[in-house]
Amino acid sequence: MRANLKLSSVQLMISFFVFSSAVIILQNFYAASDTSFLMNLICVVLGVLIAFLFFVPSIIIRSQTKLDFMSFAHLKTPNAIIFTSAFYAMYFVYAAGYFLVTYTEMFNQKLNPEGNIYVIAFLLLSACVYAVYKGINAITRCGIFIFAFSLLAFTLIFSGNIANLDFVNYSFTFNGSNSDFINNLSYFLTISVIAVIFACVSGKTKNFKIRHIVITMAATVVLFALAMFFVFFVLGDYGRQQSFQFFTLSKSAKFGTMNGMDSLYLSLSTSSVFLIISIITVCINKATGKIKNIKMALIFSLLIFILFICARNFNSVKEILINVHILNILTFVAAVLIPCIYLLFFRRRVNE
């Protein structure tokens, strides 16, 4: 694993886009909701804007020290780093469990109800451990291919639904309750997990520019807006009553005699979640200061798997694990609060 090899900033941002795309691919929150397209569009824009603000503390540290936050923390508080490392390691275990449970739930409900989700989760985590062994550069290079495939998949799914658009029964009205607004905003804000990842790996990037993040977030807004547009104006009320609406959208796509593109959806969702958990596991190693230690990746992958088993067997654990409000609060602490505390206490020695 070539841990010291610099990582292209653009390469990392492409992986971040793939990461963000999984949020809309695995979305499952329109059910029993009467919110309109315009309200959800506003939620998307605000959610992505707030997620961008989560990057600011790490961007300041990166620009002033050329270090990512975790390296900065190890340098400035070597005696107390165990507490910071423990929090970030547990945060990433939680985040990995969130995406793993959501993915397997989608797989079990929509693709193969008879499939053994424990085997699926184990195989996925095993592949992620191997990816960690190859290193962040190899993972993000893989992300480029996943990105190219995702562009093709999204293009086919969207264009295959153009003929199904319905502007007669559905319009661009604005409606929805305050609770719907908060819940939907919270869901789109989950992409801010990438801000915590940036805080862990940005020190390895070369040629970093703030505009790279801006372009990535803008592309995410466009993707989310397109996905919601087709969900609302192709699937309509039926779509809002379905779980995992993007899967339903892929099923409704057609070209000539070819109906349904759920195989594209399966490939896209699986590859995206694989990339997510792989990068998260790299961040766990970085947080613990054991970048080259494959044993550490195995240990934390086992913890993720145990958390997954608990979530599948105890509803109380599952409700906590897939709660977007809890995830966003923890993300705020990891991406904003702790880095700001470090900046506050070490602002006079930031260039030492």
Side-chain angles (χ1 to χ4, degrees), residues 55 88 101 188 201 212 233 271:
F55 280 88
Y88 279 87
V101 168
F188 293 122
V201 302
H212 295 163
F233 292 98
S271 57

Side-chain angles (χ1 to χ4, degrees), residues 188-200:
F188 293 122
L189 188 56
T190 58
I191 69 166
S192 56
V193 174
I194 62 178
V196 188
I197 295 174
F198 180 82
C200 285

Side-chain angles (χ1 to χ4, degrees), residues 73-84 342:
H74 277 271
L75 178 65
K76 295 299 180 179
T77 56
N79 296 325
I81 192 62
I82 185 172
F83 302 105
T84 303
Y342 269 81

Side-chain angles (χ1 to χ4, degrees), residues 155-326:
T155 300
L156 290 174
I157 292 173
F158 291 149
S159 58
N161 276 291
I162 290 177
N164 300 326
L165 288 171
D166 180 4
F167 297 107
V168 176
N169 296 315
Y170 305 98
S171 61
F172 294 92
T173 57
F174 184 90
N175 61 277
S177 66
N178 292 334
S179 61
D180 286 333
F181 181 84
I182 293 173
N183 289 334
N184 292 356
L185 175 63
S186 297
Y187 180 79
F188 293 122
L189 188 56
T190 58
I191 69 166
S192 56
V193 174
I194 62 178
V196 188
I197 295 174
F198 180 82
C200 285
V201 302
S202 59
K204 291 178 62 63
T205 59
K206 59 182 179 180
N207 303 322
F208 168 72
K209 305 292 183 184
I210 295 178
R211 67 172 177 268
H212 295 163
I213 298 178
V214 173
I215 293 172
T216 302
M217 305 307 271
T220 300
V221 170
V222 172
L223 174 62
F224 283 16
L226 283 172
M228 287 192 305
F229 174 79
F230 280 94
V231 166
F232 272 85
F233 292 98
V234 170
L235 302 180
D237 291 337
Y238 170 78
R240 288 199 291 270
Q241 295 171 3
Q242 301 298 307
S243 58
F244 301 101
Q245 290 79 22
F246 202 85
F247 170 79
T248 307
L249 190 67
S250 70
K251 290 283 288 183
S252 66
K254 56 184 177 181
F255 287 96
T257 58
M258 184 176 66
N259 295 323
M261 296 186 179
D262 45 307
S263 58
L264 281 179
Y265 175 86
L266 171 61
S267 301
L268 186 58
S269 58
T270 301
S271 57
S272 299
V273 173
F274 160 75
L275 185 71
I276 289 171
I277 298 179
S278 295
I279 295 179
I280 283 176
T281 310
V282 168
C283 291
I284 293 175
N285 274 14
K286 182 65 182 290
T288 57
K290 306 291 185 180
I291 299 175
K292 296 183 178 181
N293 195 329
I294 195 65
K295 291 182 180 179
M296 189 64 66
L298 286 170
I299 290 172
F300 279 97
S301 294
L302 179 60
L303 287 178
I304 295 170
F305 188 64
I306 292 173
L307 181 61
F308 169 77
I309 293 174
C310 292
R312 293 298 305 183
N313 289 276
F314 301 100
N315 284 331
S316 58
V317 176
K318 179 182 176 182
E319 289 174 1
I320 294 173
L321 188 59
I322 63 174
N323 188 305
V324 295
H325 302 297
I326 295 176

